[in-house]
Tab-separated table of all heavy atoms in Angstrom:
chain	number	residue	atom	x	y	z
J	12	ARG	N	-4.194	2.082	3.305
J	12	ARG	CA	-5.563	1.711	3.662
J	12	ARG	C	-5.531	0.564	4.655
J	12	ARG	O	-4.802	-0.396	4.470
J	12	ARG	CB	-6.330	1.293	2.415
J	12	ARG	CG	-6.672	2.468	1.535
J	12	ARG	CD	-7.397	1.976	0.344
J	12	ARG	NE	-6.382	1.887	-0.695
J	12	ARG	CZ	-6.545	1.333	-1.859
J	12	ARG	NH1	-7.670	0.773	-2.161
J	12	ARG	NH2	-5.591	1.308	-2.746
J	13	HIS	N	-6.326	0.690	5.685
J	13	HIS	CA	-6.442	-0.370	6.680
J	13	HIS	C	-7.896	-0.784	6.771
J	13	HIS	O	-8.793	0.044	6.638
J	13	HIS	CB	-5.965	0.119	8.055
J	13	HIS	CG	-4.511	0.471	8.068
J	13	HIS	ND1	-3.530	-0.476	8.158
J	13	HIS	CD2	-3.884	1.665	7.984
J	13	HIS	CE1	-2.353	0.116	8.137
J	13	HIS	NE2	-2.551	1.422	8.034
J	14	LEU	N	-8.119	-2.077	6.997
J	14	LEU	CA	-9.481	-2.564	7.174
J	14	LEU	C	-10.029	-2.084	8.505
J	14	LEU	O	-9.332	-2.145	9.511
J	14	LEU	CB	-9.501	-4.093	7.169
J	14	LEU	CG	-9.315	-4.802	5.844
J	14	LEU	CD1	-9.201	-6.296	6.085
J	14	LEU	CD2	-10.447	-4.510	4.906
J	15	PRO	N	-11.265	-1.598	8.532
J	15	PRO	CA	-11.880	-1.254	9.816
J	15	PRO	C	-11.967	-2.497	10.687
J	15	PRO	O	-11.988	-3.624	10.195
J	15	PRO	CB	-13.282	-0.766	9.435
J	15	PRO	CG	-13.236	-0.508	7.970
J	15	PRO	CD	-12.135	-1.342	7.407
J	16	THR	N	-12.023	-2.294	12.006
J	16	THR	CA	-12.028	-3.403	12.955
J	16	THR	C	-13.127	-4.416	12.662
J	16	THR	O	-12.898	-5.620	12.704
J	16	THR	CB	-12.183	-2.873	14.399
J	16	THR	OG1	-11.125	-1.941	14.627
J	16	THR	CG2	-12.092	-3.985	15.406
J	17	ASN	N	-14.350	-3.940	12.338
J	17	ASN	CA	-15.437	-4.888	12.078
J	17	ASN	C	-15.160	-5.734	10.837
J	17	ASN	O	-15.568	-6.877	10.754
J	17	ASN	CB	-16.784	-4.184	11.984
J	17	ASN	CG	-16.853	-3.184	10.845
J	17	ASN	OD1	-15.832	-2.719	10.342
J	17	ASN	ND2	-18.058	-2.830	10.448
J	18	LYS	N	-14.445	-5.199	9.846
J	18	LYS	CA	-14.095	-5.975	8.651
J	18	LYS	C	-13.029	-7.010	8.989
J	18	LYS	O	-13.040	-8.116	8.478
J	18	LYS	CB	-13.583	-5.064	7.534
J	18	LYS	CG	-14.576	-4.049	7.040
J	18	LYS	CD	-15.668	-4.683	6.235
J	18	LYS	CE	-16.548	-3.590	5.649
J	18	LYS	NZ	-17.806	-4.078	5.198
J	19	ARG	N	-12.077	-6.638	9.859
J	19	ARG	CA	-11.060	-7.605	10.278
J	19	ARG	C	-11.710	-8.725	11.077
J	19	ARG	O	-11.315	-9.877	10.978
J	19	ARG	CB	-9.965	-6.914	11.080
J	19	ARG	CG	-9.045	-6.060	10.216
J	19	ARG	CD	-7.842	-5.619	11.004
J	19	ARG	NE	-8.209	-4.946	12.225
J	19	ARG	CZ	-8.067	-3.642	12.451
J	19	ARG	NH1	-7.543	-2.874	11.532
J	19	ARG	NH2	-8.430	-3.119	13.598
J	22	LEU	N	-13.162	-11.036	8.648
J	22	LEU	CA	-12.089	-11.819	8.032
J	22	LEU	C	-11.690	-12.968	8.947
J	22	LEU	O	-11.503	-14.095	8.494
J	22	LEU	CB	-10.876	-10.939	7.723
J	22	LEU	CG	-9.652	-11.646	7.141
J	22	LEU	CD1	-9.980	-12.359	5.833
J	22	LEU	CD2	-8.518	-10.648	6.943
J	119	LYS	N	-4.281	-14.025	7.118
J	119	LYS	CA	-4.884	-12.686	7.193
J	119	LYS	C	-4.155	-11.713	6.288
J	119	LYS	O	-4.784	-10.925	5.567
J	119	LYS	CB	-4.861	-12.166	8.634
J	119	LYS	CG	-5.826	-12.861	9.542
J	119	LYS	CD	-5.692	-12.328	10.944
J	119	LYS	CE	-6.462	-13.202	11.902
J	119	LYS	NZ	-6.337	-12.755	13.282
J	122	ILE	N	-4.764	-12.851	2.453
J	122	ILE	CA	-6.144	-12.631	2.013
J	122	ILE	C	-6.441	-11.148	1.886
J	122	ILE	O	-6.995	-10.702	0.880
J	122	ILE	CB	-7.146	-13.312	2.968
J	122	ILE	CG1	-7.026	-14.833	2.842
J	122	ILE	CG2	-8.578	-12.861	2.681
J	122	ILE	CD1	-7.764	-15.609	3.909
J	123	SER	N	-6.063	-10.356	2.886
J	123	SER	CA	-6.371	-8.921	2.826
J	123	SER	C	-5.642	-8.256	1.658
J	123	SER	O	-6.193	-7.397	0.977
J	123	SER	CB	-6.061	-8.225	4.150
J	123	SER	OG	-4.702	-8.330	4.476
J	126	ILE	N	-7.405	-9.594	-1.724
J	126	ILE	CA	-8.753	-9.044	-1.883
J	126	ILE	C	-8.706	-7.539	-2.168
J	126	ILE	O	-9.533	-7.014	-2.894
J	126	ILE	CB	-9.606	-9.325	-0.612
J	126	ILE	CG1	-9.789	-10.819	-0.411
J	126	ILE	CG2	-10.940	-8.616	-0.663
J	126	ILE	CD1	-10.596	-11.511	-1.471
J	127	ARG	N	-7.727	-6.874	-1.591
J	127	ARG	CA	-7.604	-5.432	-1.817
J	127	ARG	C	-7.287	-5.116	-3.278
J	127	ARG	O	-7.749	-4.133	-3.835
J	127	ARG	CB	-6.509	-4.858	-0.919
J	127	ARG	CG	-6.410	-3.338	-0.987
J	127	ARG	CD	-5.361	-2.754	-0.054
J	127	ARG	NE	-5.510	-3.250	1.298
J	127	ARG	CZ	-4.519	-3.793	2.001
J	127	ARG	NH1	-3.317	-3.918	1.489
J	127	ARG	NH2	-4.727	-4.217	3.231
Side-chain angles (χ1 to χ4, degrees):
R12 287 179 262 171
H13 296 281
L14 286 173
T16 304
N17 62 340
K18 298 288 186 197
R19 287 191 306 251
L22 177 59
K119 288 178 191 178
I122 291 169
S123 61
I126 297 294
R127 186 178 309 128

